[in-house]
């Protein structure tokens, strides 16, 4: 998509730095989870979810919305969700079908990037439904990790975690349908089928 008025080509911004740090914490989280250091893994995962919200707020308030940020932030979200899901499935915290449901949607959305780029379009603007689905998943994952506790906190986290997970999956796929419709319109307008 063409840059909106006020979008910047700057690379070094506070929101981009937050997204970059979030990317750096992906392997840290994976190592913590592999070592069964669940308390620290939970902290890293919770901070990642909070930082995802923070970088968007700061980008708008500081007028630091950038083209790089429009790519870096969703990429950090997808990578963190993917690594977290695979690590949690590997630990038998979540079922593998959950990983497949999220990965399949992202693969289908990734397939839209090539025809859009071929027609001169950048990534589609983030839709509220997509952001809500991502937030729901980013809340679900630490709760499902916390659900491993054998006490009332674990039970409450299990219920809340799965509630967020189901909402996240539904919103994630709904957003995928909205993005596919938007891409179809753009591609149809430029003569692609």
């Amino acid at each position: 998509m063409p840059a909106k008025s006020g979008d910047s080509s700057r690379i070094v911004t506070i929101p981009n730095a937050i997204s970059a740090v979030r990317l750096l914490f992906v392997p840290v989280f994976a190592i913590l989870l592999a070592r069964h250091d669940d308390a620290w893994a939970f902290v890293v995962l919770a901070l990642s979810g909070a930082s995802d919200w923070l970088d968007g707020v700061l980008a708008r308030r500081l007028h630091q919305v950038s083209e790089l940020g429009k790519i870096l932030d969703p990429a950090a979200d997808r990578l963190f969700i993917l690594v977290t899901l695979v690590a949690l499935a590997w630990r038998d915290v979540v079922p593998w079908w959950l990983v497949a449901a999220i990965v399949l949607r992202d693969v289908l959305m990734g397939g839209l990037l090539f025809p859009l780029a071929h027609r001169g379009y950048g990534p589609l603007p983030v839709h509220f439904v997509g952001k809500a689905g991502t937030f729901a998943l980013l809340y679900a994952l630490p709760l499902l990790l916390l659900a491993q506790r054998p006490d009332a906190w674990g039970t409450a986290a299990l219920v809340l975690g799965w509630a967020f997970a189901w909402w996240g999956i539904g919103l994630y796929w709904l957003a995928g349908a909205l993005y596919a419709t938007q891409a179809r319109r753009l591609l149809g307008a430029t003569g692609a089928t």
Side-chain angles (χ1 to χ4, degrees), residues 9-164:
S9 61
R10 289 189 302 169
I11 293 174
V12 180
T13 66
I14 293 170
N16 288 352
I18 292 170
S19 292
V21 169
R22 192 162 71 246
L23 279 170
L24 293 174
F25 273 105
V26 170
V28 172
F29 170 78
I31 290 167
L32 290 169
L33 202 58
R35 292 183 177 176
H36 293 258
D37 195 349
D38 291 354
W40 281 109
F42 176 82
V43 169
V44 170
L45 192 54
L47 288 174
S48 172
S51 70
D52 180 45
W53 170 81
L54 181 63
D55 67 6
V57 168
L58 289 176
R60 289 182 294 279
R61 288 197 180 155
L62 299 175
H63 305 289
Q64 293 185 350
V65 174
S66 69
E67 291 303 312
L68 177 62
K70 290 180 181 181
I71 296 169
L72 190 61
D73 179 50
D77 292 345
R78 300 295 171 272
L79 185 60
F80 224 113
I81 288 171
L82 174 65
V83 168
T84 302
L85 281 172
V86 169
L88 291 177
W90 176 65
R91 288 263 313 268
D92 292 324
V93 173
V94 299
W96 282 100
W97 66 258
L98 181 61
V99 179
I102 301 303
V103 170
L104 178 61
R105 185 272 196 183
D106 282 342
V107 167
L108 292 173
M109 293 300 95
L112 294 175
L113 294 176
F114 299 109
L116 286 169
H118 181 70
R119 297 288 180 177
Y121 294 104
L124 296 172
V126 176
H127 193 281
F128 173 76
V129 175
K131 200 64 171 167
T134 299
F135 276 139
L137 290 172
L138 288 174
Y139 283 118
L141 298 174
L143 286 168
L144 291 172
L145 179 59
L146 186 62
Q148 300 308 292
R149 290 176 53 122
D151 57 16
W153 287 104
T155 302
L158 181 68
V159 171
L160 283 172
W162 275 108
F164 276 113

Side-chain angles (χ1 to χ4, degrees), residues 164-190:
F164 276 113
W166 281 111
W167 273 104
I169 293 167
L171 291 170
Y172 213 60
W173 276 91
L174 176 58
L178 293 171
Y179 292 136
T181 301
Q182 185 179 4
R184 185 173 167 219
R185 284 187 193 135
L186 288 171
L187 295 172
T190 58

